[in-house]
Protein backbone atom coordinates (compact mmCIF):
# COMPACT_ATOMS: atom_id res chain seq x y z
CA UNK A 1 0.00 0.00 0.00
CA UNK A 2 1.43 3.37 -0.99
CA UNK A 3 2.10 6.12 1.49
CA UNK A 4 3.14 4.36 4.68
CA UNK A 5 4.14 1.23 6.56
CA UNK A 6 1.82 -1.75 7.22
CA UNK A 7 1.81 -0.77 10.91
CA UNK A 8 0.64 2.74 10.06
CA UNK A 9 -2.06 1.33 7.80
CA UNK A 10 -3.30 -0.95 10.58
CA UNK A 11 -3.35 1.96 13.02
CA UNK A 12 -5.33 4.02 10.54
CA UNK A 13 -7.89 1.26 10.11
CA UNK A 14 -8.25 0.94 13.88
CA UNK A 15 -8.85 4.68 14.23
CA UNK A 16 -11.40 4.55 11.44
CA UNK A 17 -13.73 2.41 13.54
CA UNK A 18 -15.86 -0.58 12.57
CA UNK A 19 -15.75 -2.05 9.09
CA UNK A 20 -18.89 -2.32 6.92
CA UNK A 21 -19.60 -5.93 7.84
CA UNK A 22 -23.21 -5.49 8.92
CA UNK A 23 -26.13 -3.12 8.61
CA UNK A 24 -26.76 -1.57 12.00
CA UNK A 25 -30.19 -0.75 13.37
CA UNK A 26 -30.65 3.02 13.17
CA UNK A 27 -30.75 5.25 16.21
CA UNK A 28 -33.55 7.79 16.42
CA UNK A 29 -33.28 10.17 13.46
CA UNK A 30 -30.60 8.14 11.67
CA UNK A 31 -30.49 5.80 8.72
CA UNK A 32 -29.16 2.27 9.05
CA UNK A 33 -25.43 2.33 8.37
CA UNK A 34 -22.79 -0.33 7.92
CA UNK A 35 -20.72 -1.47 10.85
CA UNK A 36 -18.23 -4.31 10.95
CA UNK A 37 -16.16 -7.53 10.61
CA UNK A 38 -13.88 -10.28 8.84
CA UNK A 39 -12.09 -12.38 5.56
CA UNK A 40 -9.61 -15.30 3.06
CA UNK A 41 -10.14 -18.64 1.17
CA UNK A 42 -9.61 -22.41 0.88
CA UNK A 43 -10.83 -25.78 -0.31
CA UNK A 44 -12.47 -28.59 1.66
CA UNK A 45 -12.74 -32.31 1.80
CA UNK A 46 -16.02 -34.14 2.38
CA UNK A 47 -16.88 -37.01 4.66
CA UNK A 48 -19.66 -38.76 6.53
CA UNK A 49 -23.41 -38.72 7.07
CA UNK A 50 -26.09 -39.00 9.82
CA UNK A 51 -29.86 -38.72 9.96
CA UNK A 52 -31.66 -35.44 10.68
CA UNK A 53 -34.82 -34.67 12.59
CA UNK A 54 -37.50 -32.83 10.68
CA UNK A 55 -37.50 -29.10 11.31
CA UNK A 56 -40.68 -27.37 12.51
CA UNK A 57 -41.41 -24.39 10.28
CA UNK A 58 -43.13 -21.07 10.94
CA UNK A 59 -44.49 -21.04 7.39
CA UNK A 60 -47.98 -21.98 8.53
CA UNK A 61 -47.90 -19.80 11.65
CA UNK A 62 -47.39 -16.35 10.16
CA UNK A 63 -50.04 -13.91 9.04
CA UNK A 64 -49.14 -11.28 6.49
CA UNK A 65 -52.15 -9.26 7.58
CA UNK A 66 -51.09 -9.13 11.22
CA UNK A 67 -50.13 -5.67 12.50
CA UNK A 68 -46.94 -7.20 13.86
CA UNK A 69 -45.94 -8.60 10.49
CA UNK A 70 -42.87 -6.88 9.07
CA UNK A 71 -43.16 -4.53 6.16
CA UNK A 72 -40.48 -3.46 3.71
CA UNK A 73 -37.61 -5.65 2.54
CA UNK A 74 -33.85 -6.01 2.28
CA UNK A 75 -31.39 -4.61 -0.20
CA UNK A 76 -31.57 -7.95 -2.03
CA UNK A 77 -34.22 -7.60 -4.78
CA UNK A 78 -36.80 -10.36 -4.78
CA UNK A 79 -36.02 -11.52 -1.26
CA UNK A 80 -38.75 -12.54 1.19
CA UNK A 81 -40.31 -9.83 3.35
CA UNK A 82 -38.26 -8.97 6.43
CA UNK A 83 -38.21 -5.98 8.75
CA UNK A 84 -36.55 -2.81 7.41
CA UNK A 85 -35.48 -2.29 11.02
CA UNK A 86 -36.22 -4.30 14.17
CA UNK A 87 -39.53 -2.98 15.51
CA UNK A 88 -41.17 -4.48 18.57
CA UNK A 89 -41.83 -3.56 22.16
CA UNK A 90 -38.68 -3.95 24.22
CA UNK A 91 -40.96 -4.52 27.20
CA UNK A 92 -42.16 -7.77 25.63
CA UNK A 93 -39.78 -10.64 26.41
CA UNK A 94 -38.41 -12.69 23.54
CA UNK A 95 -40.12 -15.99 22.84
CA UNK A 96 -37.75 -18.78 23.91
CA UNK A 97 -36.85 -21.42 21.34
CA UNK A 98 -36.46 -25.05 22.47
CA UNK A 99 -32.69 -25.55 22.28
CA UNK A 100 -33.05 -29.32 21.91
CA UNK A 101 -35.27 -29.16 18.81
CA UNK A 102 -34.61 -27.86 15.28
CA UNK A 103 -36.32 -24.61 14.34
CA UNK A 104 -36.96 -23.03 10.93
CA UNK A 105 -38.43 -19.75 9.78
CA UNK A 106 -38.14 -20.09 6.02
CA UNK A 107 -39.58 -16.64 5.30
CA UNK A 108 -37.15 -14.82 7.61
CA UNK A 109 -34.49 -17.32 6.49
CA UNK A 110 -33.37 -18.31 9.98
CA UNK A 111 -32.58 -21.88 11.08
CA UNK A 112 -31.47 -23.48 14.33
CA UNK A 113 -29.86 -26.93 14.12
CA UNK A 114 -28.85 -28.75 17.34
CA UNK A 115 -26.38 -31.63 17.18
CA UNK A 116 -24.94 -30.11 14.00
CA UNK A 117 -21.67 -32.06 13.73
CA UNK A 118 -20.84 -35.67 14.54
CA UNK A 119 -18.66 -36.38 17.59
CA UNK A 120 -15.35 -36.48 15.71
CA UNK A 121 -15.99 -33.25 13.81
CA UNK A 122 -17.22 -31.51 16.97
CA UNK A 123 -14.05 -32.59 18.81
CA UNK A 124 -11.90 -31.30 15.92
CA UNK A 125 -13.55 -27.87 15.98
CA UNK A 126 -13.33 -27.66 19.76
CA UNK A 127 -9.63 -28.60 19.74
CA UNK A 128 -8.96 -26.11 16.96
CA UNK A 129 -10.60 -23.28 18.91
CA UNK A 130 -8.62 -24.16 22.02
CA UNK A 131 -5.41 -23.84 19.98
CA UNK A 132 -6.52 -20.47 18.67
CA UNK A 133 -7.40 -19.11 22.10
CA UNK A 134 -4.02 -17.46 22.67
CA UNK A 135 -4.13 -15.87 19.22
CA UNK A 136 -7.51 -14.24 19.73
CA UNK A 137 -7.49 -10.47 19.81
CA UNK A 138 -10.12 -7.78 20.19
CA UNK A 139 -11.64 -7.50 16.73
CA UNK A 140 -12.58 -3.77 16.98
CA UNK A 141 -15.78 -4.55 15.17
CA UNK A 142 -19.42 -3.63 15.58
CA UNK A 143 -19.49 -6.17 18.44
CA UNK A 144 -18.48 -5.05 21.95
CA UNK A 145 -15.78 -6.89 23.91
CA UNK A 146 -15.43 -9.81 21.51
CA UNK A 147 -12.18 -11.62 20.70
CA UNK A 148 -11.56 -13.39 17.39
CA UNK A 149 -9.02 -15.26 15.26
CA UNK A 150 -9.08 -16.77 11.77
CA UNK A 151 -9.42 -20.56 11.58
CA UNK A 152 -6.57 -21.90 9.37
CA UNK A 153 -7.95 -23.30 6.09
CA UNK A 154 -5.63 -26.30 6.41
CA UNK A 155 -6.88 -27.25 9.88
CA UNK A 156 -9.12 -30.17 10.86
CA UNK A 157 -11.53 -27.66 12.39
CA UNK A 158 -11.97 -25.98 9.01
CA UNK A 159 -12.45 -29.32 7.25
CA UNK A 160 -15.11 -30.34 9.79
CA UNK A 161 -17.27 -27.36 8.80
CA UNK A 162 -17.43 -28.44 5.18
CA UNK A 163 -17.71 -32.19 5.56
CA UNK A 164 -20.62 -34.09 4.04
CA UNK A 165 -22.79 -34.05 7.18
CA UNK A 166 -22.42 -30.33 7.79
CA UNK A 167 -23.19 -29.45 4.18
CA UNK A 168 -26.15 -31.81 3.98
CA UNK A 169 -27.75 -30.50 7.16
CA UNK A 170 -27.38 -26.90 6.04
CA UNK A 171 -28.61 -27.64 2.51
CA UNK A 172 -31.61 -29.60 3.76
CA UNK A 173 -32.59 -26.89 6.25
CA UNK A 174 -32.24 -23.95 3.87
CA UNK A 175 -33.43 -25.68 0.71
CA UNK A 176 -30.31 -24.39 -1.07
CA UNK A 177 -28.89 -27.64 -2.33
CA UNK A 178 -25.61 -26.35 -3.77
CA UNK A 179 -24.25 -24.60 -0.68
CA UNK A 180 -20.51 -24.95 -0.05
CA UNK A 181 -18.15 -23.19 2.34
CA UNK A 182 -17.33 -19.79 0.86
CA UNK A 183 -13.99 -18.08 0.30
CA UNK A 184 -14.47 -15.64 3.16
CA UNK A 185 -12.33 -16.65 6.19
CA UNK A 186 -13.83 -18.78 8.91
CA UNK A 187 -13.49 -17.12 12.33
CA UNK A 188 -13.33 -18.42 15.88
CA UNK A 189 -14.85 -15.92 18.31
CA UNK A 190 -14.96 -15.63 22.07
CA UNK A 191 -17.77 -13.82 23.88
CA UNK A 192 -16.80 -12.92 27.44
CA UNK A 193 -19.00 -11.46 30.20
CA UNK A 194 -20.40 -8.22 28.85
CA UNK A 195 -19.57 -9.00 25.20
CA UNK A 196 -22.51 -8.20 22.96
CA UNK A 197 -23.60 -7.30 19.43
CA UNK A 198 -26.49 -4.92 18.82
CA UNK A 199 -29.29 -5.35 16.27
CA UNK A 200 -27.95 -5.75 12.74
CA UNK A 201 -28.36 -7.43 9.38
CA UNK A 202 -25.40 -9.15 7.73
CA UNK A 203 -24.23 -7.39 4.57
CA UNK A 204 -24.79 -9.29 1.32
CA UNK A 205 -21.28 -10.15 0.08
CA UNK A 206 -22.19 -12.51 -2.75
CA UNK A 207 -24.61 -11.98 -5.62
CA UNK A 208 -26.62 -14.89 -4.25
CA UNK A 209 -26.76 -13.90 -0.55
CA UNK A 210 -24.60 -16.06 1.66
CA UNK A 211 -25.86 -18.17 4.55
CA UNK A 212 -23.97 -17.15 7.70
CA UNK A 213 -23.49 -20.00 10.17
CA UNK A 214 -22.98 -19.36 13.89
CA UNK A 215 -21.69 -22.63 15.30
CA UNK A 216 -21.52 -22.79 19.10
CA UNK A 217 -18.47 -24.72 20.28
CA UNK A 218 -18.71 -24.17 24.04
CA UNK A 219 -21.17 -22.19 26.14
CA UNK A 220 -21.29 -21.83 29.92
CA UNK A 221 -22.66 -18.28 29.78
CA UNK A 222 -26.10 -16.75 30.06
CA UNK A 223 -25.69 -14.85 26.77
CA UNK A 224 -28.53 -15.05 24.27
CA UNK A 225 -28.90 -14.69 20.53
CA UNK A 226 -32.16 -13.05 19.44
CA UNK A 227 -33.78 -12.35 16.07
CA UNK A 228 -36.99 -10.97 14.60
CA UNK A 229 -39.07 -13.70 12.96
CA UNK A 230 -41.18 -13.37 9.82
CA UNK A 231 -44.22 -12.81 12.04
CA UNK A 232 -42.57 -9.82 13.74
CA UNK A 233 -42.06 -11.74 16.99
CA UNK A 234 -38.69 -11.53 18.72
CA UNK A 235 -37.26 -14.99 19.39
CA UNK A 236 -34.15 -16.05 21.25
CA UNK A 237 -32.13 -18.81 22.85
CA UNK A 238 -28.89 -19.58 24.65
CA UNK A 239 -27.41 -21.99 22.08
CA UNK A 240 -26.11 -25.39 23.13
CA UNK A 241 -22.62 -26.61 22.31
CA UNK A 242 -22.55 -28.31 18.89
CA UNK A 243 -25.56 -26.33 17.67
CA UNK A 244 -25.77 -24.06 14.63
CA UNK A 245 -27.78 -20.91 13.97
CA UNK A 246 -27.95 -19.83 10.33
CA UNK A 247 -29.01 -16.45 8.98
CA UNK A 248 -29.22 -15.49 5.32
CA UNK A 249 -27.41 -12.21 4.69
CA UNK A 250 -29.65 -9.20 4.22
CA UNK A 251 -32.59 -10.91 5.90
CA UNK A 252 -33.53 -11.19 9.60
CA UNK A 253 -32.36 -8.64 12.14
CA UNK A 254 -30.50 -10.31 14.99
CA UNK A 255 -28.32 -9.52 17.98
CA UNK A 256 -26.24 -11.06 20.80
CA UNK A 257 -27.31 -10.07 24.31
CA UNK A 258 -24.27 -9.91 26.60
CA UNK A 259 -23.79 -12.37 29.43
CA UNK A 260 -23.29 -11.56 33.09
CA UNK A 261 -21.08 -14.61 33.61
CA UNK A 262 -19.34 -17.37 31.70
CA UNK A 263 -18.03 -17.48 28.14
CA UNK A 264 -19.23 -18.68 24.77
CA UNK A 265 -16.96 -19.79 21.92
CA UNK A 266 -18.39 -19.82 18.41
CA UNK A 267 -17.20 -20.31 14.86
CA UNK A 268 -18.61 -18.07 12.13
CA UNK A 269 -18.59 -19.42 8.56
CA UNK A 270 -20.17 -18.25 5.30
CA UNK A 271 -21.76 -20.69 2.84
CA UNK A 272 -22.47 -19.85 -0.79
CA UNK A 273 -23.92 -21.33 -3.96
CA UNK A 274 -21.46 -19.57 -6.23
CA UNK A 275 -18.56 -17.21 -5.71
CA UNK A 276 -19.76 -14.16 -7.68
CA UNK A 277 -19.39 -11.24 -5.29
CA UNK A 278 -21.03 -7.91 -4.64
CA UNK A 279 -19.01 -4.70 -4.44
CA UNK A 280 -19.26 -4.92 -0.65
CA UNK A 281 -16.99 -7.97 -0.54
CA UNK A 282 -13.78 -6.07 -1.36
CA UNK A 283 -14.55 -3.34 1.16
CA UNK A 284 -15.28 -5.84 3.91
CA UNK A 285 -12.08 -7.76 3.11
CA UNK A 286 -10.07 -4.54 3.30
CA UNK A 287 -11.53 -3.44 6.61
CA UNK A 288 -11.96 -6.83 8.30
CA UNK A 289 -11.23 -6.59 12.04
CA UNK A 290 -8.79 -9.50 12.02
CA UNK A 291 -6.52 -7.48 9.69
CA UNK A 292 -6.06 -4.67 12.21
Amino acid sequence: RAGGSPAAARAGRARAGPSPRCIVAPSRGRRAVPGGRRAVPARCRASSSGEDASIPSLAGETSTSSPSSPSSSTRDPGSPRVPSSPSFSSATPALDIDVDAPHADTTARVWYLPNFLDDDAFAAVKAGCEKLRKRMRSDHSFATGRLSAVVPPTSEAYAALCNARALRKLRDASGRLNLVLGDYPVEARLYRPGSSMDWHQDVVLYERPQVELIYTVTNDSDARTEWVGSDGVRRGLAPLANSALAFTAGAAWHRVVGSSEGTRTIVKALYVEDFAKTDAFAEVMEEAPWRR
Side-chain angles (χ1 to χ4, degrees):
R1 176 184 314 223
S5 68
R10 286 193 296 272
R13 285 196 293 267
R15 288 193 299 271
S19 64
R21 184 59 189 83
C22 28
I23 300 299
V24 182
S27 303
R28 187 180 301 240
R30 293 184 181 178
R31 296 190 308 165
V33 294
R37 118 182 158 229
R38 86 196 216 218
V40 65
R43 296 276 188 265
C44 287
R45 59 181 187 268
S47 66
S48 59
S49 54
E51 296 299 318
D52 299 330
S54 61
I55 302 177
S57 173
L58 283 179
E61 301 177 22
T62 61
S63 169
T64 56
S65 62
S66 166
S68 64
S69 296
S71 59
S72 190
S73 63
T74 71
R75 303 178 310 137
D76 168 31
S79 65
R81 294 171 69 232
V82 297
S84 57
S85 64
S87 58
F88 46 78
S89 170
S90 59
T92 304
L95 179 64
D96 284 336
I97 297 299
D98 181 356
V99 294
D100 294 310
H103 170 81
D105 185 338
T106 55
T107 302
R109 294 180 289 174
V110 179
W111 302 273
Y112 173 70
L113 303 167
N115 193 29
F116 186 66
L117 298 177
D118 61 33
D119 290 345
D120 290 343
F122 175 37
V125 176
K126 187 174 181 179
C129 288
E130 287 171 355
K131 288 180 182 178
L132 288 171
R133 179 63 184 84
K134 291 183 179 179
R135 295 190 202 173
M136 289 184 177
R137 298 290 182 269
S138 176
D139 60 18
H140 300 291
S141 71
F142 170 61
T144 299
R146 187 178 68 194
L147 305 180
S148 66
V150 173
V151 176
T154 55
S155 67
E156 291 184 5
Y158 191 101
L161 293 165
C162 53
N163 69 20
R165 174 187 168 111
L167 293 177
R168 180 174 52 78
K169 294 193 82 164
L170 197 52
R171 290 167 179 172
D172 288 350
S174 66
R176 297 174 62 175
L177 303 183
N178 296 311
L179 285 175
V180 295
L181 192 56
D183 55 352
Y184 192 88
V186 174
E187 291 176 88
R189 296 175 173 179
L190 178 67
Y191 283 87
R192 303 170 291 176
S195 300
S196 64
M197 195 172 190
D198 209 348
W199 289 108
H200 66 283
Q201 291 173 309
D202 296 317
V203 170
V204 176
L205 301 182
Y206 295 83
E207 289 184 4
R208 302 185 73 178
Q210 72 273 9
V211 173
E212 302 217 358
L213 187 80
I214 305 163
Y215 176 71
T216 297
V217 184
T218 62
N219 189 11
D220 62 4
S221 75
D222 56 353
R224 291 171 54 83
T225 299
E226 296 183 349
W227 64 92
V228 181
S230 59
D231 53 1
V233 174
R234 182 163 53 106
R235 287 174 169 78
L237 77 173
L240 297 176
N242 194 27
S243 69
L245 259 171
F247 295 93
T248 299
W253 288 89
H254 52 286
R255 69 171 179 174
V256 177
V257 181
S259 68
S260 60
E261 60 183 6
T263 61
R264 177 183 172 213
T265 302
I266 70 165
V267 171
K268 189 69 177 280
L270 273 58
Y271 293 80
V272 301
E273 291 177 293
D274 64 55
F275 292 82
K277 298 170 177 62
T278 66
D279 292 341
F281 187 93
E283 186 178 0
V284 169
M285 287 286 285
E286 173 64 20
E287 298 298 332
W290 55 265
R291 296 187 62 179
R292 303 181 182 199

